[in-house]
């Protein structure tokens, strides 16, 4: 019987057999620890009734574990040099399709329709993300408006902390809000950099995101709401009031609109943006919309 792809010895053999060299620019740090893979699959409750989207299968270390546990797996890989490798390593599994595409160019909604038989199985995203585009990938999935039940994604620990951060903490920002609006976020476990080849410079974390039945807060105009959260964090050292003026304008009419809205929403303008909860941002955004002429 074959050893797991993720064992250090088999990984070395596969890399040597195909003469593969890592591209740092593509965020290629491959997992070489079957234990971590087991924990990822367990954290995602991946079972025979789950369809999985993977980003960046590499040589197939995680893909193999997903193929064994899930109903079907669709994996996006940008590096054409990995296609023959994956055809080789994943040949024992008939429920995996590898798509040669930049995930940021992929129409997720089309992929779901074309790749997964429309049978009501939940779709989960499970990936060891390429770290140079962690945030764009997360936003791409959220913007796709596709119903992803859960995301179990490995990323830099620092980014996982930012996404799952609570108000009033240093890590809390517009990214926390953008994600937590749709999903409940928590760090499942920390992964030391020693389990990758080559080793990255930073430690990693598995972030678990679970879709909320509806967004965390009621918002009249989502675009305006997300704009407001961006405004709040323009410059962290400044007060909310200063940042609001920088974002919306300093003319008298704008100032009056902002002052009146803050008063009605009962939010003190000298607070710092990072102390506002999702509820407070939503309340203020809705009042600002209502007061707009
Ligand atoms: N899943 C493998 C593992 O855990 O060992 C590899 C993970 S490695 C951190 C990231 C993978 O994403 C690499 O295989 C890389 O080629 C691929 N990748 C990088 N940018 C990508 C993109 N824009 N779209 C799809 N895959 C990408």
């Amino acid at each position: 019987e074959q050893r797991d792809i993720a064992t250090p010895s088999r990984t070395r053999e596969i890399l040597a057999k195909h003469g593969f060299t890592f591209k740092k620019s593509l965020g290629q740090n491959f997992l070489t620890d079957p234990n971590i893979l087991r924990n990822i699959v367990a954290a995602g409750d991946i079972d025979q009734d789950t369809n999985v989207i993977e980003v960046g299968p590499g040589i197939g270390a995680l893909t193999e574990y997903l193929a064994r546990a899930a109903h079907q797996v669709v994996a996006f890989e940008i590096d054409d040099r990995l296609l023959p490798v994956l055809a080789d390593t994943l040949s024992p599994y008939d429920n995996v399709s590898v798509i040669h595409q930049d995930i940021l160019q992929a129409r997720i909604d089309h992929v779901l329709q074309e790749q997964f038989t429309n049978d009501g199985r939940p779709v989960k995203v499970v990936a060891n993300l390429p770290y140079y585009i962690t945030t764009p990938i997360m936003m791409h999935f959220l913007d796709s408006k596709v119903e992803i039940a859960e995301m179990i994604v490995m990323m830099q620990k620092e980014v996982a902390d930012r996404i799952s951060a609570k108000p009033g903490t240093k890590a809390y920002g517009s990214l926390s809000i953008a994600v937590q609006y749709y999903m409940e976020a928590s760090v499942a476990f920390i992964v030391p950099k020693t389990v990758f080849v080559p080793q990255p410079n930073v430690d990693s974390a598995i972030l678990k995101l679970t879709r909320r039945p509806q967004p965390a807060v009621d918002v009249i105009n989502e675009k305006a709401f997300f704009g407001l959260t961006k405004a709040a964090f323009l410059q962290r050292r400044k007060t909310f009031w200063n940042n609001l003026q920088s974002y919306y304008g300093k003319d008298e009419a704008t100032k009056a609109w902002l002052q009146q809205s803050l008063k009605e929403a009962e939010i003190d303008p000298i607070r710092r943006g990072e102390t506002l909860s999702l509820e407070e941002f939503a309340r203020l955004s809705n009042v600002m919309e209502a007061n707009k002429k």
Side-chain angles (χ1 to χ4, degrees), residues 56 60 139 142 146 183 187 206 218 268:
M139 296 315 294
L142 295 179
V146 156
M183 318 280 277
V187 171
I206 298 288
D218 285 326
D268 186 342

Side-chain angles (χ1 to χ4, degrees), residues 157-168:
K157 185 180 170 298
E158 178 252 329
V159 180
D161 287 342
R162 272 166 50 204
I163 290 179
S164 58
K166 298 275 174 280

Side-chain angles (χ1 to χ4, degrees), residues 57-176:
I59 61 171
L62 174 58
T63 325
E64 171 173 70
Y65 268 77
L66 295 170
R68 288 178 189 151
H71 179 65
Q72 227 186 312
V73 182
V74 173
F76 288 89
E77 178 53 65
I78 198 172
D79 187 348
D80 55 355
R81 301 172 308 149
L82 286 167
L83 300 183
V85 184
L86 289 162
D88 179 10
T89 59
L90 297 176
S91 61
Y93 307 99
D94 59 9
N95 59 343
V96 180
S97 347
V98 174
I99 300 182
H100 179 214
Q101 196 179 10
D102 177 349
I103 186 65
L104 297 179
Q105 301 299 326
R107 282 289 306 262
I108 317 262
D109 49 350
H110 291 182
V111 172
L112 292 192
Q113 269 179 6
E114 286 159 17
Q115 298 290 327
F116 297 126
T117 33
N118 187 15
D119 48 16
R121 287 190 176 84
V123 175
K124 300 186 181 182
V125 175
V126 186
N128 172 14
L129 294 175
Y131 291 178
Y132 72 105
I133 42 169
T134 302
T135 306
I137 291 176
M138 299 303 291
M139 296 315 294
H140 185 60
F141 277 102
L142 295 179
D143 288 344
S144 76
K145 300 279 180 206
V146 156
E147 250 208 51
I148 306 289
E150 277 182 19
M151 297 180 76
I152 297 88
V153 275
M154 174 128 67
M155 56 184 66
Q156 310 91 304
K157 185 180 170 298
E158 178 252 329
V159 180
D161 287 342
R162 272 166 50 204
I163 290 179
S164 58
K166 298 275 174 280
T169 64
K170 232 175 103 186
Y172 182 66
S174 52
L175 179 63
S176 329

